[in-house]
Amino acid sequence: MLIEQGLSGEPPYPPPTDEMHFFVPSTANLSYQGRKQTPPFTSTFLSFDFQPVTATMVLEQAGPITIEALLRIFMSDFSNSTDTVVRAPLVLRVLDVEVNGVALDVGPSCRTAEPLTSTDPDPSRHPGKHLVLQGKGRLVNGTDAVGYLLSSGGPLTGETTIPAFKGCGANGENLDRLLTASISGPGNYVKQTQGQACAVDPDAWNPAECTEDSQPLVIPKPER
């Protein structure tokens, strides 16, 4: 993901009297081999509770990705925490499917009819359909930061509804209802482990952290 950090400014809502707040908005785009999508990933599950199905999928960006970070400084001890919300309109596209080890041709255009949807913590400011991921970091004076920070990474979590599918099938066979029944539905837990950002300043690249084409050298192990 390529992130362009915005300028810090006033938070959208006034802070409590015992806290100071700093608000930093950013915009981002997925970047995989020049396309606004994730790398392909594979998932295996039991369709209809008995049929093993393996699907290779990608998430394709369907609009601007926004990132909002709210830094909270607690006046009692000057410790701080950072609450980060990532909003990403993403369509789930299915590339390949195997049912009980047998290939199922879903065609080149099998994808969700709409973007993935989450319950937004601030729907009045952020209407529309998008995935919401949230991360929280905390720093107590004299200790290392824990949790998630945009610059250093960490776990982002959320829950999403996968919409119905469209465009699935080949040779005149319509597989939309099959993919919808197998994959679509609410309550899908998401946990994304972000690695450290390559560089805060693109003109001061650190070769120990990133390749020349902006790919991170250290890939964190995903957490469950």
Side-chain angles (χ1 to χ4, degrees), residues 81-201:
S81 68
T82 301
D83 300 313
T84 304
V85 182
V86 180
R87 295 175 171 91
L90 301 173
V91 171
L92 181 63
R93 179 183 173 191
V94 180
L95 304 178
D96 298 294
V97 175
E98 289 186 356
V99 179
N100 201 21
V102 179
L104 178 66
D105 191 352
V106 296
S109 304
C110 182
R111 67 191 69 207
T112 54
E114 298 177 332
L116 307 184
T117 305
S118 301
T119 300
D120 197 290
D122 195 352
S124 61
R125 292 181 56 241
H126 298 279
K129 300 180 183 296
H130 47 260
L131 171 68
V132 175
L133 296 176
Q134 300 186 65
K136 189 177 184 68
R138 184 164 178 81
L139 176 63
V140 179
N141 292 334
T143 64
D144 294 330
V146 295
Y148 175 85
L149 295 174
L150 182 60
S151 57
S152 58
L156 289 160
T157 59
E159 187 174 285
T160 189
T161 295
I162 300 176
F165 282 79
K166 69 173 184 178
C168 304
N171 302 317
E173 186 176 20
N174 189 329
L175 300 175
D176 291 353
R177 295 179 63 183
L178 176 63
L179 270 293
T180 298
S182 302
I183 302 175
S184 301
N188 297 281
Y189 177 71
V190 181
K191 188 170 188 178
Q192 175 73 39
T193 306
Q194 179 198 313
Q196 180 175 341
C198 284
V200 175
D201 183 355

